[in-house]
Amino acid sequence: MDQQQMREKARYVHNVFENIADEYDRMNNVISFGSHVAWRNFTMKQMNIQPGQAAIDVACGTCDWTISLARSVGENGRVVGLDFSQNMLNVGAYKVEQSGVQDRVELVNGDAMKLPFADNTFDHATIGFALRNVPDVQTVLNEMTRVVKPGGKVVSLEVSKPPFLPYRRMFYLYFYHVLPWIAKMFVNKYEEYAWLPKSLTNFPDSKELAKMFHTAGLEPVQVKLFMGGVAALHIGIKK
């Protein structure tokens, strides 16, 4: 993808998320049948976050993961939630305040491709269900790796491609053809939710993504598939 294509993708995706911010949480529950909460809870246990640590939640959206991180780092910890959609951040800011963790959370309107933080700043960097939406996956992984400390963790939880081909075809039938109509029925937004499955088309599968984690300088890389591979967890440790 050349620079012009990356800019066009960034603009398009930005518009999508600005338009769906108010319905995003409700549709997440519908799309994943509520499973995304269990997947994130499992991921948090694997991360083994300690009180007083610092974390950045890249492409934080409406801040569900940001809030979980803030609860784990405790009163002496620090969490940054970064997203390029101000509408998503506005929803997230309300949820952060309602959760009572606003004293340890900073929300930043910023670019995942160029994180506005110094090298070796955070103990953890997470990205949830957003990596397939960025203009360049490797650049974002490199940036997440840059801002974590040596020994820190880079974590992605993302929709993936089931390795068992018959199951993959069934999943694609749901994700590409059924999901947009569900979105139209629930929130009357077909085009925006038609984009989400399209974003998976050229996204690497779990094995390819693990290689990209290695390329970013992460070793070892832990991979966990959920529900036969419809979602995948990757955790890499910075050398």
Side-chain angles (χ1 to χ4, degrees), residues 138 141-142 204-219 221 223 234:
Q138 190 66 63
L141 291 177
N142 292 348
D205 64 19
S206 59
K207 290 183 179 179
E208 294 169 332
L209 188 57
K211 291 178 182 177
M212 297 177 81
F213 266 62
H214 288 297
T215 299
L218 300 163
E219 185 76 38
V221 178
V223 181
H234 290 72

Side-chain angles (χ1 to χ4, degrees), residues 86-104:
Q86 188 59 51
N87 286 348
M88 296 285 276
L89 287 174
N90 291 343
V91 175
Y94 175 78
K95 290 165 62 177
V96 167
E97 186 173 355
Q98 292 298 110
S99 300
V101 294
Q102 65 272 19
D103 58 328
R104 70 200 76 157

Side-chain angles (χ1 to χ4, degrees), residues 64 105 116 180 185 224:
D64 280 345
V105 173
M185 181 174 63
K224 165 73 174 176

Side-chain angles (χ1 to χ4, degrees), residues 143-162:
E143 276 291 278
M144 292 173 71
T145 303
R146 179 183 66 79
V147 300
V148 298
K149 304 170 185 176
K153 296 183 179 73
V154 173
V155 183
S156 167
L157 183 56
E158 184 56 272
V159 175
S160 191
K161 300 172 179 178

Side-chain angles (χ1 to χ4, degrees), residues 1 15 17 23 44 53 60 69 71 74 82 88 100 105 148 163 184 192 209-210 233:
M1 187 180 293
N15 288 335
F17 283 95
E23 301 90 8
M44 290 291 290
Q53 289 187 325
C60 64
L69 292 166
R71 287 172 173 156
L82 178 140
M88 296 285 276
V105 173
V148 298
K184 182 173 178 61
E192 291 88 343
L209 188 57
L233 165 65

